[in-house]
Amino acid sequence: GAEEPGAAANVLEPVFETAGEWEKLIDVLEVKVKHAEDPLAKVELLHRIAGYYERQLERAPNAFEAFSRALQMDAQNESTIQNLERLAEVTKAWPKLAALYEAEIVKMQDVLQQVEMLLRTARVYEEEMQAEDKAIATFRRVLDVEAENPNAVLALDRLYERGQHWKELTDVLRTEIRMANSDQEIVALQFRLGQTFEQQLHDVDSAIEVYREILTSDPNHGPTLQALELLFAENVKPIEIAGILEPLYRVAEQWEK
């Protein structure tokens, strides 16, 4: 019956371990994996198999393979994940690991677990594989699930700026403005948004609109006043800009400028 292979494995396991017959010991443990009912027991056995492959047989790719199977049984196991990432580095198996993570994301029902695994996958794309387009696509998938996930928002800010995706950066900056906690933070982000419109997208109308918003909440914001004065000096939208600055100067009695 089903008991027999398991019983035989239990007898043989210590024999092979004592004799240092690692290949045979792994075969025995594989029998136990096959017959174990409990997924946690299977994971534990696969961890042991991986250990023998890596330490006793110095076969890191086989260890990676064993941990991969463990992940498929329990994608939340921290030890499995840490070992996979460590071995992906050793064996240069980052693309394999990314594919493994992707396969798990599809199976996940829980939103928090999905987000966690998407962030993990995006990190592998960005930092380990230098695959920025894939990283961007994956961070965007995080926002599809959780619209204001701070990790994904900040990562997209960084990636869009680095890749000079200015239009997309303006969308992310608007999200950051909605998420900001202090007036100071809001103004700093709005100013970046205005500068992106003005300098990178050459969309002066949108820039002026943002500068106007900033001065509504902070009439003495130096960088914004300076940006508008520069545009005015270059004769860009002078009437519109005069309309914004004049009342402020009148208040500050500086309209002699």
Side-chain angles (χ1 to χ4, degrees):
E3 290 304 306
E4 285 160 25
N10 286 335
V11 173
L12 290 169
E13 187 186 329
V15 176
F16 291 143
E17 183 147 20
T18 308
E21 296 268 15
W22 308 118
E23 302 261 3
K24 288 178 181 172
L25 176 57
I26 286 169
D27 288 342
V28 164
L29 293 175
E30 285 290 7
V31 171
K32 292 182 77 165
V33 170
K34 203 170 161 186
H35 289 90
E37 301 280 314
D38 177 19
L40 288 179
K42 285 182 192 275
V43 167
E44 216 162 285
L45 287 162
L46 285 164
H47 282 198
R48 283 185 61 201
I49 289 168
Y52 291 124
Y53 271 129
E54 186 179 5
R55 286 188 287 279
Q56 273 73 31
L57 296 170
E58 293 184 351
R59 278 159 51 184
N62 293 79
F64 181 87
E65 214 48 55
F67 281 120
S68 300
R69 287 162 60 203
L71 186 82
Q72 289 161 344
M73 288 170 192
D74 177 12
Q76 296 300 107
N77 187 301
E78 276 303 321
S79 170
T80 302
I81 290 164
Q82 281 166 10
N83 280 295
L84 277 170
E85 301 219 343
R86 184 178 57 76
L87 286 162
E89 179 60 41
V90 172
T91 63
K92 296 288 161 263
W94 290 112
K96 253 187 189 169
L97 184 59
L100 198 63
Y101 284 170
E102 291 279 12
E104 289 308 307
I105 291 162
V106 180
K107 298 192 294 196
M108 287 175 171
Q109 303 297 314
D110 181 274
V111 169
L112 288 177
Q113 290 179 13
Q114 260 182 5
V115 165
E116 200 181 325
M117 194 56 100
L118 281 164
L119 289 172
R120 194 171 271 127
T121 310
R123 188 202 73 77
V124 170
Y125 284 138
E126 182 187 359
E127 295 176 23
E128 309 299 348
M129 292 169 62
Q130 283 72 53
E132 298 207 341
D133 289 350
K134 282 186 170 177
I136 286 171
T138 311
F139 282 123
R140 288 183 69 112
R141 281 162 67 196
V142 174
L143 298 186
D144 291 341
V145 182
E146 189 191 325
E148 294 190 352
N149 179 282
N151 292 327
V153 168
L154 291 175
L156 285 169
D157 179 326
R158 179 177 68 243
L159 286 162
Y160 286 149
E161 178 129 10
R162 196 188 303 157
Q164 305 191 338
H165 305 288
W166 304 119
K167 175 72 193 74
E168 291 83 355
L169 179 61
T170 62
D171 294 336
V172 167
L173 286 170
R174 288 194 191 282
T175 304
E176 287 181 68
I177 290 163
R178 280 200 304 278
M179 291 166 64
N181 293 317
S182 69
D183 293 347
Q184 209 176 352
E185 212 180 324
I186 290 171
V187 167
L189 288 162
Q190 283 178 315
F191 186 68
R192 264 187 76 202
L193 179 62
Q195 290 281 281
T196 304
F197 277 128
E198 183 191 338
Q199 312 280 343
Q200 269 73 41
L201 290 168
H202 309 295
D203 177 353
V204 179
D205 289 330
S206 296
I208 290 173
E209 203 40 59
V210 175
Y211 294 150
R212 187 200 302 273
E213 276 175 42
I214 294 171
L215 295 173
T216 305
S217 60
D218 182 1
N220 299 316
H221 189 248
T224 301
L225 294 168
Q226 204 176 358
L228 285 169
E229 284 165 3
L230 277 171
L231 287 170
F232 185 83
E234 288 162 12
N235 210 24
V236 178
K237 306 269 176 186
I239 294 167
E240 198 175 335
I241 291 172
I244 297 169
L245 293 178
E246 197 254 352
L248 297 176
Y249 287 151
R250 197 179 289 148
V251 168
E253 294 179 330
Q254 292 180 340
W255 189 234
E256 298 79 53
K257 279 191 178 180

